[in-house]
């Protein structure tokens, strides 16, 4: 027996979301069918508004409903630091920490030749132009993920930026608080030893 066409289309739509397999998509589709009509209308409106009102900041590449974004407009931010992240969602994670008060730059991904992502597909050129136009920047903090692609992207950016005399740093990687050494992989241990600090 096949699903009625509206449910089948809804299941297919949910399956386009990352991390959603067939079983979860079916569960979400049936949950949606049982939602109150007003809730469905609000959900649909939120999706439409997200697509209609959000854009990327022309300075840093963050998702925003105003251009430039709130962070780029804030004169109280530390103008001498730019923290480079892979995606806009990474900025929200850093902001929740409430300890970083500099600027950001969103790459829109990482170098990944297998996926057809080279430097031209990333927001690299605008970062270099930004650094050339703003002499106040004296440090670029690279906060790409600790994956082979993230590491390659960090090294690539470092080679581009260092000749301009700007300090390039990388977020420390290693053992997380509460973890056991015996369960850590070799790369995590290597990064933990490299990023050790004096106590």
């Amino acid at each position: 027996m096949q699903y009625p066409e509206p449910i089948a289309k809804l299941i297919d739509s949910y399956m386009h979301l990352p991390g959603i397999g067939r079983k979860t998509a079916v569960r979400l589709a049936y949950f949606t069918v049982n939602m109150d009509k007003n809730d469905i209308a609000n959900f649909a409106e939120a999706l439409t508004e997200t697509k209609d009102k959000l854009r990327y900041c022309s300075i840093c590449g963050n998702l925003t409903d105003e251009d430039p974004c709130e962070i780029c407009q804030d004169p109280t931010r530390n103008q001498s630091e730019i923290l480079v992240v892979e995606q806009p969602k990474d900025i929200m994670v850093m902001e929740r920490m409430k300890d970083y008060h500099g600027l950001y730059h969103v790459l829109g991904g990482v170098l990944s030749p297998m996926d057809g992502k080279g430097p031209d597909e990333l927001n690299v050129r605008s970062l270099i132009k930004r650094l050339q136009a703003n002499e106040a920047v004296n440090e670029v903090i690279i906060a790409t993920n600790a994956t082979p692609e993230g590491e390659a992207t960090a090294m690539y950016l470092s080679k581009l930026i260092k000749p301009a005399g700007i300090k390039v740093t990388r977020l420390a990687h290693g053992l997380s608080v509460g973890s056991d050494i015996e369960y850590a992989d070799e790369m995590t241990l290597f990064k933990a030893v490299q990023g050790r600090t004096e106590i």
Side-chain angles (χ1 to χ4, degrees), residues 26-78:
V26 169
R27 194 169 67 243
L28 288 171
Y30 276 98
F31 178 83
T32 306
V33 167
N34 291 318
M35 285 172 66
D36 181 79
K37 200 164 188 172
N38 286 335
D39 291 338
I40 288 177
N42 290 337
F43 184 56
E45 185 182 344
L47 287 172
T48 304
E49 267 191 36
T50 299
K51 207 61 185 156
D52 291 344
K53 294 186 177 178
L54 287 181
R55 56 188 160 283
Y56 292 101
C57 175
S58 58
I59 297 173
C60 71
N62 189 15
L63 272 176
T64 181
D65 56 354
E66 55 182 335
D67 192 20
C69 73
E70 181 183 332
I71 294 171
C72 288
Q73 287 184 50
D74 186 351
T76 66
R77 304 290 297 208
N78 182 351

Side-chain angles (χ1 to χ4, degrees), residues 22 93 138 157 161-162 179 196:
R22 183 152 192 83
V93 172
N138 56 34
L157 291 175
I161 297 166
K162 273 188 175 181
S179 64
R196 69 191 184 278

Side-chain angles (χ1 to χ4, degrees), residues 172-176 186-197:
H173 299 290
L175 295 172
S176 58
E186 291 82 10
M187 180 56 87
T188 300
L189 288 173
F190 175 73
K191 290 292 185 184
V193 171
Q194 270 193 328
R196 69 191 184 278
T197 56

